[in-house]
Amino acid sequence: MSSIPKIVILGAGYGGILTAQRLQKELNYNEADVTLVNRHDYHYITTHLHMPAAGTDKIEHARVSISKLIDEFKIDLVKSSVKEIRLQDRKVILEDGTLSYDYLIIGLGGEPETFGIPGMLEHAMTIRSINSVRLIREHIEYQFAMYKNDNKRNRIRFVVGGAGFSGVEFVAELADRIPQLCKEFDVDPKNVHIYNVEAAPSALPGFDPELVEHAMNVLKKKGVTFKIGVPIKQCLPDGVIVGEGEKIDAATVVWTGGIRGNSLLEQAGLEVMRGRVKVDEYLRAPGHEHVYVIGDNSLVFNKEGRPYPPTAQIAMQQGVNCAKNIVAAIRNKQPQPFEFTSKGTVASLGKGEAIAVVGDKKYKGWKAAQLKKLVDMRYLFIIGGIPLVLRKGRFFG
């Protein structure tokens, strides 16, 4: 190890940004070299992407320039894609260079999990980046414009695969956007159909049945047709086959049915389950005490032995813990085990509507929608203080 340890953070998602910010706060001058690698020069707020995807909010509200979040005198930002992780050599191969490390934090984000459904990767769109969101929004508007030219009904039929968080939140925003699009393109709203298809026996798994029922009723009133307990068997260029062979004609299929870890981890020789590494209590990859894995790339189990779902709040808490443990390792001090503390769960149901669980309290409707705004603003405050809250926060609507 060189006199000044090299710390490399891969990915500027929730976990990566919090790790970088905490390291720049905790480390003394010249105590370590920290490099943050990210494909873009911005950090995007994944939990906000469903809104610009549907066209109910601006893309700018979902991203923040990384240079506004880190001190570039303390952290070197490298804009590049990771091609390979060589654990034995302690090197990361980028598309335009190589970085060596003493400590590595892998927070590269997930990839869509299609569960082997034929055609899903080829024909469905996913809400997973600023670019994919832009594509979905423009595609939806294009279908409305084309419908006025060729009158093909499937152009204004939309299928969303998966009724978990992402699926339900996107469906809600899309349902809010449809009246505006119908007005803009002179389309009869009665001809527009939104289908939310879910293989599991319930929408929004993990939520209280009473709140799930409320959420589904709100969305049904907005015009969403649910198909729950019905798997998508195949995705086609012009729709999906569901259940026992029923075809839903649709020019737009958006898949939100699952996220797996990152294929680079398995390629690096790490043991993975669906692309995720089962980390030790200090968030380290087994057998590699200088490699930490966080966010969508990590697998952490609760006391009952079930994996925590990969959420923004767990990634943020992992980022803080990971930074503390790296500083402890550099100073030859004892690391702290990672323990997740849930701050509650909120799912947005479009304008003025949401459901939430905080502790043992349940909220729905307007009150839950305000909680959702508070959650969003709290994150903006954590990463960028009051200026970022004022610039990106949604106080109304």
Side-chain angles (χ1 to χ4, degrees):
M1 195 180 280
S2 63
S3 54
I4 298 182
K6 293 189 181 82
I7 303 170
V8 174
I9 306 166
L10 303 181
Y14 290 96
I17 280 292
L18 266 292
T19 304
Q21 290 189 327
R22 190 51 65 113
L23 282 173
Q24 75 182 18
K25 190 177 171 189
E26 301 265 344
L27 289 167
N28 297 322
Y29 179 70
N30 263 353
E31 197 174 4
D33 279 337
V34 184
T35 302
L36 174 61
V37 180
N38 200 53
R39 191 183 302 159
H40 309 288
D41 57 6
Y42 55 81
H43 160 77
Y44 58 84
I45 301 161
T46 317
T47 55
H48 197 85
L49 289 178
H50 59 283
M51 299 176 78
T56 54
D57 198 12
K58 295 175 186 160
I59 279 175
E60 285 311 309
H61 284 159
R63 69 177 179 185
V64 189
S65 170
I66 294 171
S67 61
K68 289 188 162 60
L69 301 177
I70 60 169
D71 181 344
E72 290 186 274
F73 289 107
K74 291 183 176 177
I75 293 175
D76 186 23
L77 175 63
V78 174
K79 186 181 161 187
S80 189
S81 293
V82 179
K83 293 298 174 196
E84 190 187 347
I85 299 166
R86 292 186 186 161
L87 297 171
Q88 302 313 318
D89 304 332
R90 292 201 186 180
K91 280 185 168 52
V92 177
I93 312 303
L94 307 177
E95 63 185 353
D96 49 7
T98 302
L99 289 172
S100 58
Y101 65 83
D102 297 306
Y103 296 95
L104 180 67
I105 300 103
I106 306 174
L108 285 166
E111 298 168 354
E113 171 62 278
T114 60
F115 304 104
I117 300 168
M120 195 59 84
L121 276 174
E122 294 80 10
H123 305 304
M125 292 183 281
T126 55
I127 303 169
R128 58 186 296 253
S129 67
I130 293 291
N131 293 334
S132 69
V133 158
R134 194 180 280 121
L135 193 67
I136 292 169
R137 191 190 65 197
E138 289 176 2
H139 172 85
I140 290 167
E141 291 169 1
Y142 177 73
Q143 297 309 320
F144 270 84
M146 285 301 288
Y147 174 70
K148 291 307 289 182
N149 287 304
D150 60 20
N151 231 25
K152 287 183 182 171
R153 284 288 177 95
N154 76 335
R155 293 205 180 276
I156 49 173
R157 285 188 180 148
F158 304 90
V159 172
V160 177
F165 259 81
S166 302
V168 165
E169 292 194 324
F170 174 64
V171 156
E173 295 300 324
L174 183 56
D176 281 355
R177 179 91 196 281
I178 294 300
Q180 182 195 339
L181 288 168
C182 288
K183 198 172 169 186
E184 190 180 331
F185 291 96
D186 296 319
V187 171
D188 185 344
K190 288 200 288 289
N191 294 333
V192 182
H193 295 282
I194 303 172
Y195 298 92
N196 194 188
V197 186
E198 172 57 64
S202 164
L204 293 166
F207 260 111
D208 179 275
E210 179 199 337
L211 292 179
V212 174
E213 191 182 348
H214 173 80
M216 289 178 73
N217 287 337
V218 165
L219 296 180
K220 282 174 186 171
K221 280 179 191 155
K222 290 185 180 194
V224 177
T225 301
F226 284 98
K227 288 186 174 287
I228 304 296
V230 179
I232 294 178
K233 295 289 179 70
Q234 189 178 357
C235 184
L236 307 164
D238 59 350
V240 291
I241 306 291
V242 302
E244 298 305 310
E246 179 196 352
K247 184 181 181 194
I248 302 174
D249 285 312
T252 307
V253 179
V254 177
W255 176 248
T256 69
I259 291 281
R260 59 183 287 115
N262 199 294
S263 49
L264 285 168
L265 282 84
E266 192 169 6
Q267 289 163 24
L270 291 168
E271 195 178 320
V272 297
M273 292 165 69
R274 280 178 56 193
R276 293 192 173 101
V277 174
K278 185 182 172 184
V279 292
D280 71 9
E281 59 184 326
Y282 306 116
L283 302 175
R284 298 177 303 199
H288 299 275
E289 63 175 35
H290 294 91
V291 178
Y292 296 76
V293 187
I294 58 177
D296 288 346
N297 299 159
S298 71
L299 201 54
V300 178
F301 291 82
N302 63 18
K303 287 183 172 67
E304 288 79 51
R306 286 197 297 272
Y308 286 113
T311 61
Q313 60 170 320
I314 196 167
M316 289 163 66
Q317 290 180 33
Q318 285 179 322
V320 171
N321 178 267
C322 176
K324 281 181 181 168
N325 285 345
I326 288 171
V327 172
I330 289 169
R331 294 173 185 167
N332 292 317
K333 291 189 172 161
Q334 195 57 34
Q336 286 180 14
F338 174 71
E339 282 181 29
F340 174 59
T341 312
S342 176
K343 308 278 189 230
T345 313
V346 191
S348 166
L349 303 173
K351 195 171 177 65
E353 274 285 357
I355 53 172
V357 178
V358 182
D360 55 1
K361 288 195 168 65
K362 295 183 279 189
Y363 301 93
K364 55 192 177 190
W366 184 85
K367 208 176 250 185
Q370 303 318 301
L371 272 174
K372 172 71 176 166
K373 279 183 204 156
L374 280 174
V375 167
D376 291 345
M377 287 196 276
R378 177 179 175 268
Y379 177 66
L380 293 172
F381 179 75
I382 287 169
I383 62 167
I386 288 169
L388 190 60
V389 174
L390 294 173
R391 207 164 70 247
K392 304 278 184 186
R394 296 178 82 251
F395 302 96
F396 309 104

